[in-house]
Amino acid sequence: AINKCDLETADVGRVKADLTGYDVLTEDLGGDVLHAEVSAKEGTNLDDLLSKVMLQAELQDLKANPNRDATGVVVEARVEKGLGTVA
């Protein structure tokens, strides 16, 4: 998910371009990574994000173990003076 798309300063193109530096290509750039442009604050496009997560789970035949705790990863980024964008 590309979050905070509700902000005037949001630049989805730049985010996708920055991801290419890590060999992460979204589908619209010829890759195989799905993305959703969302605003968690306003709840925008969360249904699109959920449908893409469900599609990937189905295509990859992902199954959850109901007897174990779930785990996940959240990557946060911020701008640091002198360093630029850091995660």
Side-chain angles (χ1 to χ4, degrees), residues 24-64:
V24 176
L25 292 174
T26 57
E27 281 190 319
D28 58 333
L29 296 177
D32 60 355
V33 176
L34 295 177
H35 78 285
E37 299 170 18
V38 302
S39 168
K41 181 178 179 181
E42 295 185 3
T44 308
N45 289 335
L46 296 180
D47 55 339
D48 182 41
L49 173 61
L50 181 58
S51 69
K52 289 179 178 180
V53 168
M54 297 300 290
L55 174 63
Q56 287 289 36
E58 185 176 332
L59 291 175
Q60 296 181 25
D61 196 31
L62 301 178
K63 305 287 184 205

